[in-house]
Amino acid sequence: MTTEPAFIAALRTLVTSPAARGLQDDAAVLEVGTEALVLTHDIMVEGVHFLPDQDMADVAWKLVAVNMSDLAAKGAEPLGVLLGYMLANDNERFLKGLEEALQAYNVPLLGGDTVSGGPPRSFGLTAIGRATHRPVPARYGAQAGDTLWITGPVGAAMLGFEALRDRTSADSAAFRRPLPLLAEGKALAPLVTAMMDISDGLLLDCWRLATASDVSLMLDPAAIPVADPARFDECVRWGDDYQLLFTLPDGVQPPCPAYRIGQVEAENFAPLWLGDEILTPTDSLGYTHR
Amino acid sequence: MTTEPAFIAALRTLVTSPAARGLQDDAAVLEVGTEALVLTHDIMVEGVHFLPDQDMADVAWKLVAVNMSDLAAKGAEPLGVLLGYMLANDNERFLKGLEEALQAYNVPLLGGDTVSGGPPRSFGLTAIGRATHRPVPARYGAQAGDTLWITGPVGAAMLGFEALRDRTSADSAAFRRPLPLLAEGKALAPLVTAMMDISDGLLLDCWRLATASDVSLMLDPAAIPVADPARFDECVRWGDDYQLLFTLPDGVQPPCPAYRIGQVEAENFAPLWLGDEILTPTDSLGYTHR
């Protein structure tokens, strides 16, 4: 039991609260008093999620952004964050990026913990939000007949990562400074039947939405926006783009810019189709930790 | 700016919300709807907070327990936890200890993140609780004339750590399996003027309570319960015991077993006295990360 899917499957047996949503969603949804709280925690590890020589201001920004993206997928407004920080010699740059991200999304720092450790260093962030619409969108809920949408192209983060790694002149901002779609998530929440953010690759996250909803997703490859059409197969498998993936009842138009990339059918031979090709997890649909 | 105190001082300049309590408390207290949420995040790092060859079931237990202790210091009831986990080959033992701790404190697992990384491995846990009494106890609030109390002896975790490290036959449970005092914290919350848990050493945490409250604490060395009287100086400086430290108005008796270890005076020449000796942070009062 050394892989991420095996560990999460085992962890799932410990889950007793519906608030955990079976550990199959972007965030937990906890009813407290009159509010539905949305809770998420994401970690970034040196050498896994960021390059060891990366500007720590970008790392701090991304740590906030990826957690805000989980809130966006729930249509939630951020209430605050807790930071888990590992000390080093570049604390000033981290603080600079943290301040920029907190100000950009108007989210207060509430607390956390500071430790010594690494290399490799790792950083954790917990974000707390409040739902703006009930029911709170989930990965499950897509219905046969719905349409499938994405807010923007995938693959931009891959190109940004390569520019940074190879020190080329191409723009690396899409990898370094992703932009969580909080306003879009809030506008979409009352309309969608299912929603999630794409963090681990479009195909893998489509697979997750399909299996959580017990439906089949039929993707139209010609309709999927990618940052580099010559590298379509990679663009639809690379993560880190933080677009929103969602389903709408037939005829409902999204309230924000979005691309219609497929449709939802009743569960058939397979959860996920790309054109007339059946995709399975053994096709390496995206990123998992091994 | 490479030390923990310097980093936290810099982090404090980013704080805008009163919910953060100036990053000077055991937990954040966030008002949401009709409830006061208590939020805390603690990290354990291999080689810093646990021995590399330690049973991961004990590490998991302690990770839950130290966060529950922060909730206890606020008189809060746990609502759930989010886990930040780093995969390895001993996941089963970690899960076993996690399950035991969650059941012992009746707290649900809500979510989190799983990554690859390390060595050294690190684990984070975020705990969410709801306050059972307002105002929610803080490190500040102690008043001249109050009495100072502790729920039990300090130094037991130190002896437990040494037993584990040196593989002796002595009992190491106090280090491996600390017991957060949730029931005691809840009973104390309506009575105390200030409260915190002792995680980094009695003297250091007394210093923090004194400076947060703008008072002087006069400790009576003969009244402080220690696990090994022959090693008094070490017992009052070692952390990890997770007793509750609190102040009560003169004449008020604690509703749980506790030792009266001193008194609160108006701020005088120094925040902290041990008998007739003035203590300062340069005396190495406890544990900080360097």
Side-chain angles (χ1 to χ4, degrees):
Chain A
M1 194 183 63
T2 58
T3 65
E4 181 181 19
F7 179 76
I8 292 174
L11 204 56
R12 205 166 277 145
T13 66
L14 305 189
V15 167
T16 54
S17 167
R21 294 190 161 192
L23 304 182
Q24 291 184 326
D25 220 309
D26 292 303
V29 179
L30 182 68
E31 302 278 344
V32 179
T34 54
E35 300 283 345
L37 294 178
V38 178
L39 302 158
T40 183
H41 178 75
D42 276 324
I43 303 170
M44 290 178 62
V45 181
E46 184 178 354
V48 179
H49 302 90
F50 61 94
L51 296 166
D53 61 352
Q54 232 184 292
D55 181 356
M56 293 304 291
D58 289 338
V59 174
W61 173 282
K62 190 163 177 172
L63 184 63
V64 175
V66 300
N67 278 283
M68 291 300 111
S69 182
D70 286 327
L71 298 188
K74 297 275 149 282
E77 290 175 340
L79 294 174
V81 298
L82 302 173
L83 171 68
Y85 187 72
M86 236 174 236
L87 293 164
N89 296 317
D90 45 11
N91 301 323
E92 285 86 353
R93 290 299 300 162
F94 189 94
L95 282 168
K96 175 75 176 152
L98 180 66
E99 182 174 23
E100 288 168 359
L102 296 177
Q103 286 183 351
Y105 300 104
N106 193 27
V107 53
L109 175 69
L110 298 179
D113 195 12
T114 305
V115 296
S116 48
R121 295 166 78 194
S122 62
F123 307 102
L125 197 91
T126 302
I128 303 102
R130 57 175 290 280
T132 60
H133 184 268
R134 319 270 189 103
V136 180
R139 293 183 181 184
Y140 54 81
Q143 302 287 327
D146 288 352
T147 52
L148 178 69
W149 302 76
I150 187 173
T151 47
V154 288
M158 175 184 78
L159 300 179
F161 169 77
E162 292 173 352
L164 194 65
R165 182 194 60 192
D166 304 337
R167 302 171 190 274
T168 70
S169 60
D171 188 5
S172 59
F175 175 77
R176 293 183 298 104
R177 299 255 173 168
L179 300 174
L181 303 175
L182 283 163
E184 290 82 351
K186 199 170 156 181
L188 284 163
L191 304 174
V192 299
T193 50
M195 182 157 64
M196 65 186 296
D197 73 328
I198 302 178
S199 52
D200 293 337
L202 173 62
L203 296 185
L204 180 58
D205 286 331
C206 281
W207 172 274
R208 290 168 174 166
L209 192 148
T211 54
S213 296
D214 295 323
V215 295
S216 290
L217 293 185
M218 321 303 284
L219 299 181
D220 174 3
I224 298 173
V226 292
D228 183 354
R231 298 173 65 189
F232 179 87
D233 286 352
E234 293 168 272
C235 287
V236 295
R237 286 175 170 81
W238 230 85
D240 264 1
D241 283 305
Y242 305 100
Q243 300 293 343
L244 294 175
L245 177 73
F246 56 95
T247 51
L248 291 174
D250 189 33
V252 175
Q253 291 299 310
C256 59
Y259 301 79
R260 182 174 166 177
I261 61 169
Q263 60 189 53
V264 183
E265 291 194 0
E267 194 171 11
N268 57 38
F269 305 108
L272 186 59
W273 298 69
L274 185 63
D276 55 9
E277 179 191 4
I278 287 179
L279 299 177
T280 69
T282 54
D283 297 325
S284 184
L285 303 180
Y287 189 78
T288 56
H289 295 280
R290 288 176 193 87
Chain B
M1 194 185 62
T2 58
T3 65
E4 182 181 17
F7 179 75
I8 292 175
L11 205 55
R12 203 165 279 145
T13 66
L14 305 189
V15 167
T16 54
S17 167
R21 295 192 162 191
L23 304 183
Q24 291 183 323
D25 221 308
D26 293 302
V29 179
L30 183 68
E31 303 278 344
V32 179
T34 55
E35 299 282 346
L37 294 178
V38 178
L39 302 158
T40 184
H41 179 74
D42 276 323
I43 304 169
M44 290 177 63
V45 181
E46 185 178 354
V48 179
H49 302 90
F50 61 94
L51 296 166
D53 60 353
Q54 233 184 289
D55 180 357
M56 293 305 292
D58 289 337
V59 174
W61 173 282
K62 191 163 177 173
L63 184 64
V64 175
V66 300
N67 279 283
M68 292 298 112
S69 182
D70 287 327
L71 297 188
K74 298 275 150 281
E77 290 174 342
L79 294 175
V81 298
L82 302 174
L83 172 68
Y85 187 73
M86 237 173 233
L87 293 164
N89 296 317
D90 45 11
N91 300 323
E92 286 87 351
R93 290 298 300 161
F94 189 94
L95 282 168
K96 175 74 176 153
L98 180 67
E99 181 174 24
E100 288 168 359
L102 296 178
Q103 287 183 349
Y105 300 104
N106 192 27
V107 52
L109 176 69
L110 298 179
D113 195 12
T114 304
V115 296
S116 48
R121 296 165 79 193
S122 63
F123 306 102
L125 196 93
T126 302
I128 303 101
R130 56 174 290 278
T132 60
H133 184 268
R134 318 272 187 104
V136 180
R139 293 184 181 183
Y140 54 80
Q143 302 288 325
D146 288 353
T147 52
L148 179 68
W149 302 75
I150 187 173
T151 47
V154 288
M158 175 183 78
L159 300 180
F161 170 76
E162 292 172 353
L164 195 65
R165 181 194 62 193
D166 303 336
R167 301 171 191 274
T168 70
S169 59
D171 187 6
S172 60
F175 176 77
R176 293 184 297 105
R177 298 255 173 167
L179 301 173
L181 302 176
L182 285 163
E184 290 81 351
K186 197 169 156 184
L188 284 163
L191 304 174
V192 299
T193 50
M195 184 156 64
M196 66 187 295
D197 74 328
I198 302 179
S199 52
D200 293 337
L202 173 63
L203 296 185
L204 180 58
D205 287 330
C206 280
W207 172 275
R208 290 168 173 164
L209 191 149
T211 53
S213 296
D214 294 324
V215 295
S216 290
L217 293 184
M218 321 303 285
L219 301 181
D220 175 3
I224 298 173
V226 292
D228 183 353
R231 298 173 65 189
F232 180 87
D233 285 354
E234 292 169 274
C235 287
V236 294
R237 285 174 172 81
W238 230 84
D240 264 1
D241 284 305
Y242 304 100
Q243 301 293 342
L244 294 175
L245 177 73
F246 57 94
T247 52
L248 291 174
D250 189 32
V252 175
Q253 291 299 311
C256 59
Y259 300 80
R260 181 173 165 178
I261 61 169
Q263 60 188 54
V264 183
E265 291 193 359
E267 195 171 10
N268 56 38
F269 304 109
L272 187 58
W273 297 69
L274 185 64
D276 54 10
E277 180 192 2
I278 287 178
L279 299 178
T280 69
T282 54
D283 296 325
S284 185
L285 302 180
Y287 190 79
T288 56
H289 295 279
R290 291 174 189 89

Short mmCIF file of all heavy atoms in Angstrom, two decimals, chain A residues 41-87:
data_model
loop_
_atom_site.label_atom_id
_atom_site.label_comp_id
_atom_site.label_asym_id
_atom_site.label_seq_id
_atom_site.Cartn_x
_atom_site.Cartn_y
_atom_site.Cartn_z
N HIS A 41 -7.07 21.36 2.11
CA HIS A 41 -5.67 21.42 2.51
C HIS A 41 -4.82 20.86 1.38
O HIS A 41 -5.02 19.73 0.95
CB HIS A 41 -5.44 20.59 3.79
CG HIS A 41 -4.01 20.57 4.24
ND1 HIS A 41 -3.42 21.65 4.86
CD2 HIS A 41 -3.04 19.63 4.16
CE1 HIS A 41 -2.15 21.37 5.14
NE2 HIS A 41 -1.91 20.15 4.73
N ASP A 42 -3.88 21.67 0.89
CA ASP A 42 -2.98 21.22 -0.17
C ASP A 42 -1.54 21.46 0.24
O ASP A 42 -1.23 22.44 0.91
CB ASP A 42 -3.26 21.95 -1.49
CG ASP A 42 -4.40 21.30 -2.26
OD1 ASP A 42 -4.51 20.06 -2.22
OD2 ASP A 42 -5.18 22.02 -2.89
N ILE A 43 -0.68 20.57 -0.23
CA ILE A 43 0.74 20.60 0.12
C ILE A 43 1.55 20.78 -1.15
O ILE A 43 1.20 20.24 -2.20
CB ILE A 43 1.15 19.26 0.77
CG1 ILE A 43 0.29 18.97 2.00
CG2 ILE A 43 2.63 19.26 1.15
CD1 ILE A 43 0.48 17.56 2.53
N MET A 44 2.67 21.50 -1.05
CA MET A 44 3.63 21.57 -2.15
C MET A 44 4.99 21.13 -1.63
O MET A 44 5.47 21.61 -0.61
CB MET A 44 3.71 23.00 -2.70
CG MET A 44 2.43 23.41 -3.45
SD MET A 44 2.49 25.12 -4.05
CE MET A 44 3.88 25.05 -5.18
N VAL A 45 5.59 20.18 -2.37
CA VAL A 45 6.87 19.60 -1.96
C VAL A 45 7.96 19.98 -2.96
O VAL A 45 7.74 19.88 -4.18
CB VAL A 45 6.76 18.05 -1.87
CG1 VAL A 45 8.08 17.44 -1.42
CG2 VAL A 45 5.64 17.64 -0.94
N GLU A 46 9.09 20.41 -2.43
CA GLU A 46 10.27 20.76 -3.24
C GLU A 46 10.67 19.55 -4.08
O GLU A 46 10.80 18.44 -3.58
CB GLU A 46 11.41 21.14 -2.27
CG GLU A 46 12.68 21.62 -2.91
CD GLU A 46 13.71 22.02 -1.85
OE1 GLU A 46 13.38 22.01 -0.64
OE2 GLU A 46 14.85 22.33 -2.23
N GLY A 47 10.88 19.78 -5.37
CA GLY A 47 11.30 18.70 -6.25
C GLY A 47 10.14 17.90 -6.80
O GLY A 47 10.32 17.11 -7.73
N VAL A 48 8.95 18.07 -6.21
CA VAL A 48 7.75 17.38 -6.70
C VAL A 48 6.81 18.42 -7.33
O VAL A 48 6.43 18.30 -8.49
CB VAL A 48 7.02 16.62 -5.58
CG1 VAL A 48 5.76 15.94 -6.13
CG2 VAL A 48 7.95 15.58 -4.94
N HIS A 49 6.46 19.43 -6.54
CA HIS A 49 5.52 20.46 -7.00
C HIS A 49 6.20 21.76 -7.42
O HIS A 49 5.58 22.63 -8.01
CB HIS A 49 4.50 20.78 -5.93
CG HIS A 49 3.71 19.59 -5.47
ND1 HIS A 49 4.11 18.80 -4.44
CD2 HIS A 49 2.56 19.05 -5.93
CE1 HIS A 49 3.23 17.82 -4.27
NE2 HIS A 49 2.29 17.94 -5.16
N PHE A 50 7.45 21.93 -7.03
CA PHE A 50 8.19 23.11 -7.49
C PHE A 50 9.67 22.75 -7.61
O PHE A 50 10.15 21.80 -6.98
CB PHE A 50 7.99 24.32 -6.56
CG PHE A 50 8.43 24.14 -5.13
CD1 PHE A 50 9.70 24.54 -4.72
CD2 PHE A 50 7.58 23.58 -4.20
CE1 PHE A 50 10.11 24.39 -3.41
CE2 PHE A 50 7.98 23.42 -2.86
CZ PHE A 50 9.25 23.83 -2.48
N LEU A 51 10.36 23.52 -8.47
CA LEU A 51 11.78 23.27 -8.70
C LEU A 51 12.59 23.79 -7.51
O LEU A 51 12.26 24.82 -6.93
CB LEU A 51 12.22 23.98 -9.98
CG LEU A 51 11.56 23.46 -11.26
CD1 LEU A 51 11.79 24.43 -12.42
CD2 LEU A 51 12.12 22.08 -11.61
N PRO A 52 13.65 23.07 -7.13
CA PRO A 52 14.41 23.49 -5.94
C PRO A 52 14.94 24.92 -6.03
O PRO A 52 15.12 25.57 -5.01
CB PRO A 52 15.55 22.46 -5.89
CG PRO A 52 15.01 21.26 -6.57
CD PRO A 52 14.11 21.79 -7.66
N ASP A 53 15.20 25.42 -7.23
CA ASP A 53 15.74 26.78 -7.33
C ASP A 53 14.68 27.82 -7.68
O ASP A 53 15.00 28.94 -8.06
CB ASP A 53 16.88 26.82 -8.36
CG ASP A 53 16.39 26.42 -9.75
OD1 ASP A 53 15.23 25.98 -9.87
OD2 ASP A 53 17.16 26.55 -10.71
N GLN A 54 13.42 27.45 -7.56
CA GLN A 54 12.36 28.39 -7.93
C GLN A 54 12.27 29.55 -6.95
O GLN A 54 12.59 29.40 -5.76
CB GLN A 54 11.02 27.64 -7.97
CG GLN A 54 10.25 27.82 -9.26
CD GLN A 54 8.89 27.14 -9.21
OE1 GLN A 54 8.82 25.93 -9.18
NE2 GLN A 54 7.84 27.93 -9.21
N ASP A 55 11.81 30.68 -7.45
CA ASP A 55 11.58 31.85 -6.60
C ASP A 55 10.50 31.49 -5.58
O ASP A 55 9.38 31.11 -5.94
CB ASP A 55 11.12 33.02 -7.48
CG ASP A 55 10.87 34.29 -6.67
OD1 ASP A 55 10.98 34.26 -5.42
OD2 ASP A 55 10.56 35.32 -7.31
N MET A 56 10.82 31.64 -4.30
CA MET A 56 9.86 31.24 -3.27
C MET A 56 8.62 32.13 -3.24
O MET A 56 7.59 31.73 -2.71
CB MET A 56 10.55 31.22 -1.90
CG MET A 56 11.61 30.14 -1.77
SD MET A 56 10.98 28.46 -2.12
CE MET A 56 9.92 28.25 -0.71
N ALA A 57 8.72 33.31 -3.83
CA ALA A 57 7.51 34.16 -3.92
C ALA A 57 6.47 33.48 -4.82
O ALA A 57 5.28 33.52 -4.54
CB ALA A 57 7.87 35.54 -4.46
N ASP A 58 6.94 32.84 -5.88
CA ASP A 58 6.02 32.11 -6.76
C ASP A 58 5.45 30.88 -6.07
O ASP A 58 4.28 30.52 -6.27
CB ASP A 58 6.74 31.69 -8.05
CG ASP A 58 7.03 32.88 -8.96
OD1 ASP A 58 6.36 33.92 -8.84
OD2 ASP A 58 7.95 32.76 -9.79
N VAL A 59 6.27 30.21 -5.28
CA VAL A 59 5.80 29.02 -4.56
C VAL A 59 4.71 29.41 -3.57
O VAL A 59 3.67 28.75 -3.48
CB VAL A 59 6.98 28.33 -3.84
CG1 VAL A 59 6.48 27.17 -2.97
CG2 VAL A 59 8.01 27.83 -4.86
N ALA A 60 4.92 30.50 -2.86
CA ALA A 60 3.92 30.95 -1.89
C ALA A 60 2.61 31.33 -2.60
O ALA A 60 1.52 30.98 -2.15
CB ALA A 60 4.44 32.15 -1.10
N TRP A 61 2.76 32.05 -3.71
CA TRP A 61 1.57 32.42 -4.48
C TRP A 61 0.77 31.18 -4.89
O TRP A 61 -0.44 31.09 -4.69
CB TRP A 61 1.96 33.20 -5.75
CG TRP A 61 0.77 33.44 -6.64
CD1 TRP A 61 0.19 32.53 -7.49
CD2 TRP A 61 -0.02 34.63 -6.72
NE1 TRP A 61 -0.89 33.09 -8.11
CE2 TRP A 61 -1.05 34.38 -7.66
CE3 TRP A 61 0.06 35.88 -6.11
CZ2 TRP A 61 -1.99 35.35 -7.99
CZ3 TRP A 61 -0.89 36.85 -6.45
CH2 TRP A 61 -1.90 36.57 -7.37
N LYS A 62 1.49 30.21 -5.44
CA LYS A 62 0.81 29.02 -5.94
C LYS A 62 0.17 28.23 -4.81
O LYS A 62 -0.92 27.66 -4.98
CB LYS A 62 1.81 28.15 -6.71
CG LYS A 62 1.17 27.02 -7.49
CD LYS A 62 2.12 26.48 -8.53
CE LYS A 62 1.55 25.31 -9.28
NZ LYS A 62 2.40 24.92 -10.42
N LEU A 63 0.82 28.19 -3.66
CA LEU A 63 0.25 27.47 -2.51
C LEU A 63 -1.11 28.05 -2.13
O LEU A 63 -2.06 27.32 -1.85
CB LEU A 63 1.23 27.55 -1.34
CG LEU A 63 0.86 26.77 -0.08
CD1 LEU A 63 0.82 25.27 -0.35
CD2 LEU A 63 1.84 27.08 1.05
N VAL A 64 -1.20 29.37 -2.12
CA VAL A 64 -2.49 30.00 -1.84
C VAL A 64 -3.46 29.74 -3.00
O VAL A 64 -4.62 29.36 -2.79
CB VAL A 64 -2.33 31.53 -1.62
CG1 VAL A 64 -3.70 32.20 -1.47
CG2 VAL A 64 -1.46 31.79 -0.39
N ALA A 65 -2.96 29.89 -4.23
CA ALA A 65 -3.84 29.80 -5.40
C ALA A 65 -4.48 28.43 -5.55
O ALA A 65 -5.68 28.32 -5.87
CB ALA A 65 -3.05 30.15 -6.66
N VAL A 66 -3.71 27.36 -5.33
CA VAL A 66 -4.28 26.02 -5.53
C VAL A 66 -5.36 25.72 -4.50
O VAL A 66 -6.35 25.02 -4.80
CB VAL A 66 -3.20 24.91 -5.54
CG1 VAL A 66 -2.20 25.17 -6.67
CG2 VAL A 66 -2.49 24.78 -4.21
N ASN A 67 -5.19 26.25 -3.30
CA ASN A 67 -6.24 26.06 -2.29
C ASN A 67 -7.47 26.93 -2.61
O ASN A 67 -8.61 26.49 -2.41
CB ASN A 67 -5.69 26.38 -0.89
CG ASN A 67 -4.92 25.22 -0.30
OD1 ASN A 67 -5.51 24.25 0.17
ND2 ASN A 67 -3.60 25.30 -0.34
N MET A 68 -7.23 28.15 -3.09
CA MET A 68 -8.36 28.99 -3.51
C MET A 68 -9.12 28.33 -4.66
O MET A 68 -10.34 28.46 -4.78
CB MET A 68 -7.85 30.37 -3.96
CG MET A 68 -7.28 31.25 -2.86
SD MET A 68 -8.47 31.64 -1.55
CE MET A 68 -7.77 30.72 -0.19
N SER A 69 -8.40 27.61 -5.52
CA SER A 69 -9.05 26.93 -6.64
C SER A 69 -10.01 25.84 -6.14
O SER A 69 -11.08 25.63 -6.73
CB SER A 69 -7.98 26.33 -7.57
OG SER A 69 -8.59 25.71 -8.68
N ASP A 70 -9.63 25.16 -5.05
CA ASP A 70 -10.55 24.17 -4.47
C ASP A 70 -11.81 24.86 -3.95
O ASP A 70 -12.92 24.32 -4.07
CB ASP A 70 -9.86 23.41 -3.34
CG ASP A 70 -8.84 22.41 -3.85
OD1 ASP A 70 -9.04 21.84 -4.93
OD2 ASP A 70 -7.83 22.18 -3.15
N LEU A 71 -11.64 26.04 -3.36
CA LEU A 71 -12.83 26.78 -2.90
C LEU A 71 -13.66 27.22 -4.10
O LEU A 71 -14.90 27.17 -4.06
CB LEU A 71 -12.42 28.01 -2.08
CG LEU A 71 -11.66 27.78 -0.77
CD1 LEU A 71 -11.53 29.10 -0.01
CD2 LEU A 71 -12.34 26.75 0.12
N ALA A 72 -12.99 27.65 -5.18
CA ALA A 72 -13.70 28.08 -6.38
C ALA A 72 -14.58 26.96 -6.92
O ALA A 72 -15.72 27.20 -7.36
CB ALA A 72 -12.69 28.52 -7.45
N ALA A 73 -14.07 25.74 -6.88
CA ALA A 73 -14.82 24.60 -7.40
C ALA A 73 -16.08 24.33 -6.58
O ALA A 73 -16.98 23.60 -7.03
CB ALA A 73 -13.94 23.35 -7.41
N LYS A 74 -16.15 24.90 -5.39
CA LYS A 74 -17.34 24.75 -4.54
C LYS A 74 -18.19 26.01 -4.55
O LYS A 74 -19.16 26.12 -3.79
CB LYS A 74 -16.89 24.46 -3.10
CG LYS A 74 -16.12 23.17 -2.96
CD LYS A 74 -17.08 22.01 -2.80
CE LYS A 74 -16.53 20.74 -3.38
NZ LYS A 74 -16.61 20.62 -4.83
N GLY A 75 -17.80 27.00 -5.35
CA GLY A 75 -18.52 28.28 -5.32
C GLY A 75 -18.40 28.98 -3.98
O GLY A 75 -19.30 29.72 -3.59
N ALA A 76 -17.29 28.75 -3.27
CA ALA A 76 -17.15 29.28 -1.91
C ALA A 76 -16.37 30.59 -1.89
O ALA A 76 -15.53 30.84 -2.75
CB ALA A 76 -16.46 28.25 -1.02
N GLU A 77 -16.65 31.41 -0.90
CA GLU A 77 -15.88 32.62 -0.61
C GLU A 77 -14.84 32.30 0.45
O GLU A 77 -15.18 31.72 1.49
CB GLU A 77 -16.79 33.71 -0.04
CG GLU A 77 -17.77 34.29 -1.01
CD GLU A 77 -18.71 35.28 -0.33
OE1 GLU A 77 -18.85 35.23 0.92
OE2 GLU A 77 -19.32 36.07 -1.05
N PRO A 78 -13.59 32.71 0.26
CA PRO A 78 -12.57 32.42 1.27
C PRO A 78 -12.79 33.21 2.56
O PRO A 78 -13.12 34.39 2.52
CB PRO A 78 -11.26 32.83 0.60
CG PRO A 78 -11.63 33.71 -0.54
CD PRO A 78 -13.03 33.38 -0.93
N LEU A 79 -12.60 32.51 3.69
CA LEU A 79 -12.68 33.17 5.01
C LEU A 79 -11.29 33.32 5.64
O LEU A 79 -11.09 34.19 6.47
CB LEU A 79 -13.55 32.35 5.97
CG LEU A 79 -15.03 32.24 5.62
CD1 LEU A 79 -15.72 31.28 6.60
CD2 LEU A 79 -15.67 33.62 5.69
N GLY A 80 -10.37 32.43 5.28
CA GLY A 80 -9.04 32.53 5.87
C GLY A 80 -8.18 31.33 5.53
O GLY A 80 -8.67 30.34 4.96
N VAL A 81 -6.90 31.44 5.86
CA VAL A 81 -5.97 30.33 5.62
C VAL A 81 -5.07 30.13 6.85
O VAL A 81 -4.78 31.06 7.60
CB VAL A 81 -5.07 30.58 4.38
CG1 VAL A 81 -5.89 30.70 3.12
CG2 VAL A 81 -4.18 31.80 4.56
N LEU A 82 -4.64 28.87 7.00
CA LEU A 82 -3.62 28.49 7.99
C LEU A 82 -2.41 28.00 7.21
O LEU A 82 -2.55 27.18 6.30
CB LEU A 82 -4.12 27.38 8.90
CG LEU A 82 -5.41 27.61 9.70
CD1 LEU A 82 -5.82 26.32 10.41
CD2 LEU A 82 -5.21 28.71 10.73
N LEU A 83 -1.22 28.45 7.59
CA LEU A 83 0.00 28.12 6.86
C LEU A 83 0.86 27.13 7.64
O LEU A 83 1.12 27.34 8.82
CB LEU A 83 0.81 29.40 6.62
CG LEU A 83 2.21 29.25 6.05
CD1 LEU A 83 2.17 28.74 4.62
CD2 LEU A 83 2.97 30.58 6.14
N GLY A 84 1.32 26.08 6.97
CA GLY A 84 2.33 25.19 7.54
C GLY A 84 3.64 25.45 6.83
O GLY A 84 3.78 25.13 5.65
N TYR A 85 4.61 26.03 7.56
CA TYR A 85 5.81 26.57 6.91
C TYR A 85 7.08 25.91 7.42
O TYR A 85 7.24 25.68 8.61
CB TYR A 85 5.88 28.08 7.16
CG TYR A 85 7.00 28.73 6.38
CD1 TYR A 85 6.90 28.89 5.01
CD2 TYR A 85 8.16 29.15 7.02
CE1 TYR A 85 7.93 29.46 4.28
CE2 TYR A 85 9.20 29.73 6.30
CZ TYR A 85 9.08 29.88 4.93
OH TYR A 85 10.09 30.43 4.22
N MET A 86 8.00 25.64 6.51
CA MET A 86 9.32 25.12 6.86
C MET A 86 10.37 26.20 6.64
O MET A 86 10.54 26.69 5.53
CB MET A 86 9.62 23.90 5.98
CG MET A 86 9.93 22.67 6.79
SD MET A 86 10.11 21.21 5.72
CE MET A 86 8.89 20.14 6.47
N LEU A 87 11.06 26.56 7.69
CA LEU A 87 12.06 27.63 7.65
C LEU A 87 13.23 27.32 6.74
O LEU A 87 13.65 26.18 6.62
CB LEU A 87 12.61 27.88 9.05
CG LEU A 87 11.63 28.45 10.08
CD1 LEU A 87 12.18 28.27 11.48
CD2 LEU A 87 11.35 29.91 9.80
#
